[in-house]
Amino acid sequence: MRHFQYIDGELTAEDVPLRAIAEAVGTPAYVYSTATLERHFTVFREAFGNLPVHIAFAVKANTNRAVLATLARLGAGADTVSEGEIRRALAAGIPASGIVFAGVGKTDAELAFAVGIGVRQINVESAQELDRLSAIAAAAGREQAVCFRVNPLIGAGGHAKITTGHGASKFGVTLAEAESLYARAVTLPGVRPEGLSVHIGSQIVDFAPLEAAYRRMVETVLRLRAAGHTVRRLDLGGGLAATYRDDGTPGPDLPAYGAMVRSVVEGLDLEIELEPGRMIAANAGVLLSRAVVTKQSQERSFLVLDAAMNDLIRPALYDAFHEILPLREAPADRPVAAADIVGPVCETGDTFAEHRQMPPVEPGDLVAIMSAGAYGFTMASSYNSRLLPAEVIVNGDRWSVVRPRQTWDELFGTETLPDWL
Ligand SMILES: *Cc1c(COP(=O)(O)O)cnc(C)c1O
């Protein structure tokens, strides 16, 4: 079941024509589908059968409070990497007991905040962090559950900038280091070691590297247990791919992933945690945009949109592919031409697609940049003093603006001049 499809020649989100939203809210605007979020979360959970799993949505993929609240109602926890993300998760109704706090450079203030509200788990990434956390938690009279993020020295993922599990990566500690940190943590006040965590990359379709990483972690769990330690949890991270191309490229086989996880942890009596982001949210969102101008250079045809790299940076940052569809379905006999689809920002990298075959789009026409629900709005900026786009969520035939477009006052109204000007 697809929730973004043409109905009577108009691209819709569930039962709402996207044109109605674009005309009411303006463009660029992000639109999310409740039914898609719910379906992805449910299909993911069901892949693990009767294995009890804690699914912590990776909030950095989509921080909108309505999106988080939609997932929270299904029982999702949150995987967070900053105090701001923890605050958003709480504001969306995710209890502290469902929140995992990760990240390579947590500040004392962030650790104190997380300990103070009693997050489910803090994933520790260095000896220094362990010592700081111990001191902070002990001073607060708390005992904080921790896992150690390991770097299994296995990389995976769709692009060098989203691969985290290799030797040159800043993330995690080696398995050997995790073992010695674990033993150390047992002797420290304020912290209670619970297990290990891993996240080796993103946009993963082939599970072999993931399985190898998980099996290495299990070996370490067994060694820790043999040394007399209690190990209860294994946090297996996120990283499963979303399908960005509409050409039949298969996405990750979720039942196969679930079966692999079950076989790796079988009989070990471990609580399993998962942190999907992209897989849940990417195809639950689109970015609506209006064509501003078409032009020819000596060699190329350009379609210039009113959305730009500041709204959706994935093509510029990761060479990412996004389908771009006109909101009004093109008749099958309409000629197709190749154009570079670009934004108005003053950077050559402000390109959504090169040589894209598509039916001609005229100035004023509306288009949807597909699969924009993950790492879309969350990476948006106001570069070129462009207002942050609006965000809308659809549920059946209802829709609601869940973040209005930024205003000029919000853009620069808090800036002040020094007294010499
Ligand atoms: C980014 C991240 C995730 C989510 O990754 P996806 O590819 O979006 O599933 C999960 N865990 C950690 C630690 C991350 O940094």
Side-chain angles (χ1 to χ4, degrees):
M1 177 65 203
R2 297 190 49 156
H3 301 289
F4 292 98
Q5 56 181 338
Y6 288 106
I7 297 178
D8 297 333
E10 282 289 331
L11 192 62
T12 59
E14 305 188 30
D15 301 328
V16 180
L18 288 167
R19 175 178 308 280
I21 296 174
E23 281 168 1
V25 176
T27 50
Y30 279 94
V31 180
Y32 309 121
S33 155
T34 300
T36 311
L37 291 166
E38 290 176 343
R39 178 167 55 94
H40 289 174
F41 186 85
T42 307
V43 169
F44 186 75
R45 181 169 52 201
E46 285 172 354
F48 301 94
N50 56 10
L51 182 73
V53 289
H54 175 72
I55 303 176
F57 175 66
V59 169
K60 72 176 189 281
N62 191 317
T63 48
N64 186 280
R65 206 137 66 89
V67 168
L68 299 182
T70 299
L71 296 171
R73 279 172 44 169
L74 303 176
D79 168 49
T80 61
V81 294
S82 68
E83 180 173 335
E85 287 191 356
I86 297 174
R87 287 180 179 274
R88 280 177 178 275
L90 292 171
I94 298 175
S97 60
I99 297 177
V100 176
F101 185 28
V104 71
K106 306 177 199 77
T107 64
D108 286 357
E110 286 179 311
L111 289 172
F113 176 76
V115 167
I117 62 159
V119 294
R120 172 190 182 85
Q121 171 181 319
I122 296 183
N123 289 347
V124 169
E125 301 214 19
S126 68
Q128 284 178 17
E129 187 190 359
L130 177 64
D131 289 346
R132 285 196 289 125
L133 176 57
S134 165
I136 289 166
R142 299 277 186 151
E143 189 184 66
Q144 175 63 53
V146 301
C147 281
F148 294 96
R149 174 158 176 183
V150 300
N151 178 349
L153 302 178
I154 296 169
H159 188 277
K161 285 186 186 159
I162 53 176
T163 299
T164 53
H166 52 75
S169 163
K170 69 180 175 184
F171 298 103
V173 297
T174 63
L175 287 160
E177 222 180 326
E179 253 182 88
S180 60
L181 286 181
Y182 210 98
R184 210 173 122 60
V186 174
T187 69
L188 292 176
V191 288
R192 185 178 69 250
E194 292 279 8
L196 304 177
S197 83
V198 76
H199 175 74
I200 62 171
S202 196
Q203 194 55 12
I204 298 170
V205 185
D206 170 15
F207 303 142
L210 277 177
E211 178 167 358
Y214 297 169
R215 290 198 184 277
R216 281 192 194 170
M217 291 170 79
V218 165
E219 283 166 20
T220 304
V221 168
L222 296 177
R223 290 163 60 94
L224 285 165
R225 284 180 173 174
H229 298 299
T230 304
V231 185
R232 294 195 191 86
R233 292 185 187 167
L234 215 46
D235 174 348
L236 300 179
L240 294 199
T243 312
Y244 287 93
R245 287 177 193 266
D246 210 3
D247 61 358
T249 311
D253 178 345
L254 295 180
Y257 177 71
M260 181 272 276
V261 168
R262 285 206 306 272
S263 84
V264 171
V265 303
E266 173 119 62
L268 290 174
D269 192 23
L270 285 165
E271 292 172 30
I272 299 305
E273 301 173 326
L274 299 142
E275 302 169 345
R278 183 190 309 279
M279 185 259 131
I280 304 284
N283 281 310
V286 301
L287 174 60
L288 299 183
S289 180
R290 200 180 278 279
V292 179
V293 93
T294 54
K295 61 181 282 191
Q296 302 282 137
S297 74
Q298 231 164 4
E299 292 164 21
R300 297 203 178 189
S301 301
F302 291 97
L303 170 63
V304 186
L305 303 179
D306 68 357
M309 65 187 287
N310 71 294
D311 304 301
L312 176 66
I313 203 173
R314 297 191 67 258
L317 191 57
Y318 308 123
D319 302 312
F321 179 94
H322 287 264
E323 300 284 354
I324 301 174
L325 300 178
L327 294 199
R328 194 181 307 286
E329 191 170 23
D333 58 359
R334 192 105 178 258
V336 166
D340 284 13
I341 303 175
V342 302
V345 159
C346 305
E347 299 273 348
T348 306
D350 186 20
T351 298
F352 290 115
E354 282 184 276
H355 295 299
R356 182 64 58 86
Q357 307 273 331
M358 100 179 251
V361 172
E362 307 298 335
D365 287 354
L366 289 161
V367 300
I369 304 177
M370 307 302 288
S371 313
Y375 308 104
F377 185 90
T378 57
M379 291 182 126
S381 75
S382 47
Y383 184 44
N384 276 208
S385 284
R386 292 165 48 82
L387 299 174
L388 287 173
E391 291 177 286
V392 170
I393 195 164
V394 172
N395 184 357
D397 59 4
R398 293 177 294 173
W399 61 274
S400 173
V401 176
V402 287
R403 182 179 165 114
R405 189 176 311 286
Q406 197 178 28
T407 64
W408 300 120
D409 202 42
E410 288 164 349
L411 185 70
F412 61 86
T414 56
E415 292 171 18
T416 53
L417 294 177
D419 57 10
W420 61 83
L421 286 178

